[in-house]
Amino acid sequence: MKLVLAPMEGLVDEAMRDVLTRVGGIDLCVTEFVRVTSALLPTRTFMRLAPELARGGKTRAGVTVRVQLLGSDPACLAENAAKAASLGAPGIDLNFGCPAPTVNRHRGGAILLNDPEQLFQIVQAVRAAVPAEIPVTAKMRLGYEDKSRALECARALEAGGAQELAVHGRTKVEGYRPPAHWDWIARIRESVAVPVVANGEVWTLDDYRAIREQSGCDTVMIGRGLVACPDLALRIKRQDGAEPMPWNEMQPWVLDLFLQCRVQSEDGRYPVARTKQWLGQLKRSWPEAGALFERIRRLTTPDEVEPVLRDMLSK
């Protein structure tokens, strides 16, 4: 049984990975995607999106962080994968699932699921460019508009050399609308020999048990469910039906994320926006998060928000 924190652009950044892995229960992380177009990216780009490279590719809690690349040019992706490996990336993941229209218009992410041969060419080039001891993995959806080529895409990724496939159980067009089709993940698992990681619509312990049963996968990737309930991974590992941690135990983590974002960015709006964003997710598990969001909703500067967060802890 292994739990993976899903990559989510604009949500699961270094600060969020740090907080969630210190809460516990997570075995592996994947970065937000590093967008590759037509050039070898500078070191600073990799370090900005994967600062964990400076710590041996691990979070402060010691959890491994793979670097995810997104693009469509096999040679350019291969060159950048080799660069990431040289910087210490413990694994390279390839994004074939991003549903963002801007990304898809530029032939990145889920749009490539319409072209299994291109998937094969990309993975093959990246696998050849990366040292054998560094795993190359891929994340896919079930398709772009429909699921008709899901198995073909999975087999193309495997044939190219992907050593593991994470499968989000929806098409691009389905976005994040429930349900996720866990039975299709099972079909993909049965069609390839490499390990398959099940992903999509896991919010509770019951969801986790259901995705395991329906997909047949031993490893599960969780994104929004962990952001909305940071101790979900711990409760899954314990296999108990306990409620989420009390709000008073969650509060210090909110301040922790805010302070990290404040240090990491010179833009004073950033830590405020990130904190509001997270509270919007947390209110799914704690009504108190919604009340705190209302207290800071009209505040715009870190100097205004920090006293409110610290006052919250004193009560």
Side-chain angles (χ1 to χ4, degrees), residues 132-154:
E133 67 273 13
I134 296 177
V136 172
T137 61
K139 187 169 191 285
M140 62 175 285
R141 282 178 173 252
L142 298 179
Y144 190 77
E145 293 179 337
D146 59 51
K147 307 173 185 66
S148 61
R149 306 189 80 173
L151 303 185
E152 184 183 0
C153 286

Side-chain angles (χ1 to χ4, degrees), residues 201-212:
E201 211 62 24
V202 176
W203 299 93
T204 66
L205 179 59
D206 285 343
D207 292 338
Y208 169 80
R209 289 169 175 159
I211 197 173
R212 286 283 306 275

Side-chain angles (χ1 to χ4, degrees), residues 63-86:
V63 177
T64 296
V65 182
R66 291 177 181 165
V67 174
Q68 186 180 80
L69 305 182
L70 177 147
S72 60
D73 184 311
C76 196
L77 282 164
E79 186 179 27
N80 280 278
K83 174 73 173 281
S86 73

Side-chain angles (χ1 to χ4, degrees), residues 241-256:
E243 294 296 315
M245 70 174 76
W247 175 241
N248 68 318
E249 294 180 16
M250 184 62 223
Q251 290 171 350
W253 295 112
V254 176
L255 178 61
D256 191 307

Side-chain angles (χ1 to χ4, degrees), residues 68-72 77 93-98 108-113 118-120 122-123 137-141 143 157:
Q68 186 180 80
L69 305 182
L70 177 147
S72 60
L77 282 164
D93 188 66
L94 297 168
N95 182 320
F96 302 114
C98 180
I111 191 69
L112 292 169
L113 297 170
Q118 185 75 354
L119 299 181
F120 170 80
I122 289 170
V123 178
T137 61
K139 187 169 191 285
M140 62 175 285
R141 282 178 173 252
L157 294 170

